Amino acid sequence: MKGPLLFFWQVRLIAGDVYRAAVREKMMYGFLLLSFLFILMANVPYMVADPKVFDNQPALTSSLQIGFVAIHIFVLLIAVFVSLNTMQSYLAFERLVLLLSRPVRRWQIMAGVLLGLYQMILINWFLMTMGVWLVVLSHERMLLPFVWSGLSVAALLGILYVSLVVFFYSLMPNMMAGVLTIFVVIAGFGVSSARLVFARLGWPVFFEKAARLGLNALPQINALLGISMKELRFFHLDISSGFYILQSFLLIAVLGLFSCSTFERRSQF
Amino acid sequence: MASEENVVLKTQGLFKEYKSGPVFFQKTIPAVVDLDMEVRRGEVFGFLGPNGAGKTTTLHMLAGISRPSAGAIEIFGRSFRCGQIWPLHRIGYVPESTYLPGDMTMTELLSFFARLYGLPGTTVRERISRMFEMIGFVLRERATFVRSLSMGQRRLLDLVLALVHDPDLVFFDEPTVYLDPLAVERFRDIVGMLKKKGKTVFLSSHTLPLIERLSDRVAVIARGRLLRVAPAQDFAAEGGLETVFLQLVKGGA
């Protein structure tokens, strides 16, 4: 095998190795177990069978809301903590030396790390979504495909969180990467409120445009959660998903490119 | 001087410094200073120095792990810079200390590193089998997880990880650390076999008997500076490697 084919093959091999290292993290199973306990609580609205307890909502909506919260919380926790733990062991100098002395470019190692962690988060998302879907399926006796499409936003968010962690880790390889990711996620919740504030300030056009551009560079967590809620039929939200999903994919690509190029430069010791 | 085509590795004015100390009061500490040397095809080149002499730093630069602060490296007749990968298909490197992932079996680990070179599946299987024979691991041991291996067994695994792709130039950094006398003998056999196959061996160590017994030429380094390069028999003629080494190292103090 030679040329570009070998390059892709090496990235795929490293991704597989990172995925293997990530799924052998005991912490991941702790989070997954807790998420399943949480998801099991989605049975409660059906067991109580009294809509008044749940704001007169149908049991399906209440059940999906519990699942929605569980998946979004645990995807974030797994993305941040398992990714950090995996990277700390995988990119430790003593272990990295083994890869650096092979005919592998540094950016390939980082691309492999990203892909391996994406794989890990997607598997976790799939298992959790399957859990929620099975709970509602067992009560509703209908396939309810919108559960999968609505919760797929959590997978996108998971990939975004992993990209943020890897990006910050490539800049500062320690626990601060996790802290900064959580800060950015919190900032992402505030984007829509910040937009309103900027709109009311009456700034000159240039400043308003610059502020809008800056806000667009942040992950739009509120908007993405809104898309998920709309798909899951919690509320009748007037939100167009195209822009936010495209923006998230762009952000993931840019963060990935930055991480690979930063690692290429910083790992020449 | 060896002829150009006979030189596998050449360094000119190789220099590496590290920064040390608090952020605003950092000092630069030279680890390797103006290293000029040549390694010839098919020889065992002993690289001898006390602790902290700059042996590992030199090897990191030669294996493309770290970037020299100044100077040039030529490998297989071509200029080589950190970040390039073209010579690494033909180089094997055994680091001083490694962290082998404990959650992989020995076969998985060897297979992973062999496949990184793009070797086809049948070649990988054949090479793995040959590597296990080389270090004397029997079949039932091959599925053992790395975490259950002794330090000596891990070291042997380190050695074959560097040889699985059949390199032309092999860097060994303190290869006999953790090895018992039997395993050291096995290592000597491996070096002998590599030499017989025309491979070039760069053997870095502070273990005098090992260097003395295996090397064709020996370079002595201390405090980052190359003190002397000479054929092994020259050291023997001057009263033995240990005597000359101590004189050189103490003389440079």
Side-chain angles (χ1 to χ4, degrees):
Chain A
M1 208 181 292
K2 274 181 182 172
L5 202 63
L6 179 60
F7 265 43
F8 287 118
W9 169 252
Q10 288 170 326
V11 171
R12 198 196 73 83
L13 266 179
I14 295 169
D17 196 38
V18 172
Y19 170 72
R20 183 199 50 75
V23 295
R24 289 184 190 177
E25 283 282 346
K26 286 182 187 128
M27 184 197 279
M28 194 194 83
Y29 294 99
F31 282 135
L32 205 55
L33 183 68
L34 280 174
S35 78
F36 281 131
L37 291 176
F38 211 130
I39 286 166
L40 276 180
M41 282 168 31
N43 281 301
V44 173
Y46 290 102
M47 285 152 72
V48 172
D50 181 2
K52 277 184 220 154
V53 179
F54 296 98
D55 283 344
N56 287 320
Q57 289 186 134
L60 172 64
T61 308
S62 306
S63 180
L64 285 178
Q65 281 172 351
I66 294 170
F68 170 87
V69 171
I71 290 179
H72 280 280
I73 290 175
F74 285 99
V75 159
L76 174 64
L77 291 175
I78 291 173
V80 173
F81 292 103
V82 178
S83 300
L84 263 182
N85 251 21
T86 308
M87 279 194 292
Q88 274 191 329
S89 60
Y90 202 82
L91 300 177
F93 180 73
E94 290 80 5
R95 187 159 172 179
L96 202 54
V97 159
L98 283 174
L99 282 174
L100 293 180
S101 55
R102 262 69 189 180
V104 177
R105 290 196 187 278
R106 281 144 168 91
W107 66 260
Q108 283 178 287
I109 299 174
M110 195 38 101
V113 167
L114 272 166
L115 293 179
L117 293 175
Y118 289 164
Q119 196 181 341
M120 177 274 296
I121 204 75
L122 287 177
I123 293 287
N124 277 290
W125 166 82
F126 176 79
L127 292 174
M128 287 189 265
T129 306
M130 179 65 91
V132 174
W133 184 70
L134 285 176
V135 167
V136 291
L137 178 77
S138 65
H139 294 289
E140 299 286 335
R141 311 274 175 202
M142 282 190 289
L143 284 177
L144 305 168
F146 71 89
V147 174
W148 286 93
S149 57
L151 290 175
S152 63
V153 177
L156 178 65
L157 276 169
I159 291 177
L160 188 58
Y161 299 148
V162 167
S163 304
L164 282 167
V165 175
V166 174
F167 169 71
F168 286 122
Y169 195 86
S170 67
L171 293 174
M172 50 183 86
N174 52 45
M175 288 302 277
M176 271 309 284
V179 175
L180 287 171
T181 302
I182 290 171
F183 274 142
V184 171
V185 172
I186 293 169
F189 273 107
V191 170
S192 44
S193 315
R195 271 188 213 286
L196 285 175
V197 172
F198 285 134
R200 284 178 192 168
L201 283 175
W203 281 358
V205 179
F206 170 76
F207 287 111
E208 203 191 315
K209 277 191 175 167
R212 211 181 298 153
L213 198 71
L215 288 176
N216 280 347
L218 282 171
Q220 317 275 308
I221 309 290
N222 257 356
L224 289 168
L225 291 182
I227 294 165
S228 185
M229 288 177 191
K230 182 183 153 193
E231 280 290 316
L232 290 168
R233 303 171 189 177
F234 294 166
F235 313 107
H236 297 289
L237 291 169
D238 182 23
I239 189 166
S240 79
S241 24
F243 168 76
Y244 296 108
I245 289 176
L246 183 69
Q247 188 256 9
S248 305
F249 275 117
L250 270 175
L251 203 55
I252 288 166
V254 170
L255 288 171
L257 286 173
F258 263 109
S259 308
C260 290
S261 67
T262 311
F263 187 72
E264 178 81 34
R265 276 182 286 114
R266 290 176 69 100
S267 60
Q268 295 199 351
F269 307 106
Chain B
M1 275 298 232
S3 66
E4 279 297 313
E5 63 269 26
N6 207 22
V7 174
V8 169
L9 171 72
K10 189 175 172 182
T11 65
Q12 275 182 320
L14 200 62
F15 182 80
K16 179 76 182 175
E17 59 183 11
Y18 289 111
K19 288 194 170 81
S20 168
V23 181
F24 294 110
F25 306 97
Q26 279 190 333
K27 284 183 195 165
T28 50
I29 298 169
V32 174
V33 182
D34 293 334
L35 193 72
D36 294 321
M37 63 178 177
E38 281 182 1
V39 179
R40 296 166 196 163
R41 193 178 305 277
E43 77 173 343
V44 178
F45 186 83
F47 197 54
L48 183 66
N51 293 327
K55 302 187 296 295
T56 299
T57 306
T58 306
L59 280 180
H60 280 175
M61 288 188 282
L62 298 179
I65 293 161
S66 64
R67 180 183 288 277
S69 308
I73 300 170
E74 228 176 71
I75 295 184
F76 305 122
R78 277 174 67 188
S79 165
F80 170 58
R81 280 181 290 115
C82 180
Q84 292 183 328
I85 56 167
W86 62 265
L88 300 179
H89 286 275
R90 295 175 62 192
I91 290 178
Y93 173 58
V94 179
E96 186 183 22
S97 60
T98 49
Y99 170 77
L100 297 176
D103 55 6
M104 283 172 108
T105 65
M106 288 195 283
T107 309
E108 279 175 347
L109 193 66
L110 270 168
S111 166
F112 172 72
F113 281 103
R115 285 186 301 155
L116 270 184
Y117 291 92
L119 300 174
T122 44
T123 315
V124 169
R125 279 190 291 278
E126 180 254 318
R127 292 268 174 89
I128 290 175
S129 186
R130 206 193 307 160
M131 290 300 115
F132 279 131
E133 275 168 30
M134 193 188 281
I135 53 174
F137 280 178
V138 294
L139 198 63
R140 65 182 164 75
E141 288 175 323
R142 297 176 187 182
T144 312
F145 279 97
V146 172
R147 65 170 167 263
S148 347
L149 299 177
S150 69
M151 290 305 277
Q153 286 172 315
R154 282 183 204 205
R155 197 62 186 152
L156 285 172
L157 194 58
D158 268 338
L159 298 181
V160 290
L161 278 178
L163 302 176
V164 73
H165 58 294
D166 196 23
D168 294 322
L169 169 62
V170 191
F171 296 113
F172 289 107
D173 194 358
E174 302 293 357
T176 52
V177 178
Y178 305 120
L179 294 187
D180 61 30
L182 273 174
V184 172
E185 194 189 348
R186 202 174 278 277
F187 170 73
R188 285 198 297 258
D189 292 344
I190 292 173
V191 173
M193 185 203 69
L194 288 171
K195 202 179 165 195
K196 207 184 282 177
K197 285 169 79 179
K199 311 285 184 186
T200 311
V201 176
F202 190 105
L203 181 59
S204 167
S205 180
H206 56 236
T207 316
L208 285 155
L210 185 79
I211 296 275
E212 194 164 30
R213 188 159 169 183
L214 292 176
S215 309
D216 297 314
R217 288 193 308 138
V218 179
V220 179
I221 181 175
R223 283 168 292 280
R225 289 175 192 278
L226 194 64
L227 302 179
R228 188 172 172 193
V229 188
Q233 57 266 36
D234 286 10
F235 288 99
E238 291 171 35
L241 185 58
E242 185 173 356
T243 314
V244 182
F245 172 72
L246 290 174
Q247 275 171 3
L248 283 168
V249 172
K250 283 177 183 170

